Amino acid sequence: FNVDFALSRSIKLPALGQSGEVQVRVEMFYVFNTTNLLPPQSNLTSAAFGRSTDALPGRIMQFGGRFRF
């Protein structure tokens, strides 16, 4: 199974006016980084028949920021 996680923080900046703020954000996908195998080969003539030869990508992290004024 998948577990995704996001954490954000908004910081008010009076120098940008009454509504000025900066938002910093971190997002992580596949937090526990378990192996997610793709379905096994179903071609009967393949030497890899019945084996999973590929997996989904591991943990992905992304960082972001946003200015509001």
Side-chain angles (χ1 to χ4, degrees):
F1 68 96
N2 273 337
V3 176
D4 298 336
F5 179 76
L7 181 67
S8 67
R9 173 75 178 179
S10 294
I11 303 164
K12 294 206 180 282
L13 294 176
L16 293 178
Q18 203 170 24
S19 63
E21 72 178 25
V22 172
Q23 184 183 58
V24 179
R25 185 170 182 89
V26 176
E27 297 176 343
M28 294 190 317
F29 305 97
Y30 309 115
V31 172
F32 297 120
N33 207 26
T34 56
T35 303
N36 294 316
L37 298 173
L38 293 177
Q41 288 286 331
S42 59
N43 184 354
L44 291 172
T45 60
S46 173
F49 174 74
R51 295 184 187 167
S52 293
T53 57
D54 206 0
L56 294 174
R59 182 182 302 126
I60 299 170
M61 294 180 70
Q62 93 183 12
F63 301 91
R66 179 170 70 174
F67 292 103
R68 292 181 60 187
F69 52 92

